[in-house]
Amino acid sequence: MANLILFVNAFLSYLLLFVLIVALVIIACVIGVKWRKSKDAKAAAETQDDVADGAKTA
C-alpha cells in the first residue's frame, strides 16, 4: 500500500509539472503570434507609407 501511495504521489507531481510546461508553451506561442502580427502590421504600414511617399515625389 505504501508503494502505491508513493507511486501516485510521484505520478501526480510529474503530471503537475507536465501541465505547467504545456501551459508555458501555449502562453509563449500566443505571445509569439501576437508579436509577429504586430511586427507584420508595422512593416505593412511602413511599406504603405514608402509607396505613398514615392508616388508623391515621382
Side-chain angles (χ1 to χ4, degrees):
M1 186 66 176
N3 286 338
L4 179 64
I5 293 171
L6 288 173
F7 172 76
V8 170
N9 188 12
F11 179 78
L12 291 176
S13 295
Y14 280 113
L15 183 64
L16 179 64
L17 183 63
F18 176 74
V19 169
L20 280 170
I21 290 172
V22 168
L24 287 174
V25 167
I26 291 171
I27 290 169
C29 289
V30 169
I31 290 172
V33 167
K34 186 177 180 180
W35 281 348
R36 185 65 197 189
K37 286 183 180 179
S38 173
K39 183 178 179 183
D40 289 345
K42 286 180 184 177
E46 288 178 2
T47 302
Q48 288 177 353
D49 289 343
D50 291 344
V51 168
D53 290 341
K56 290 179 184 176
T57 58

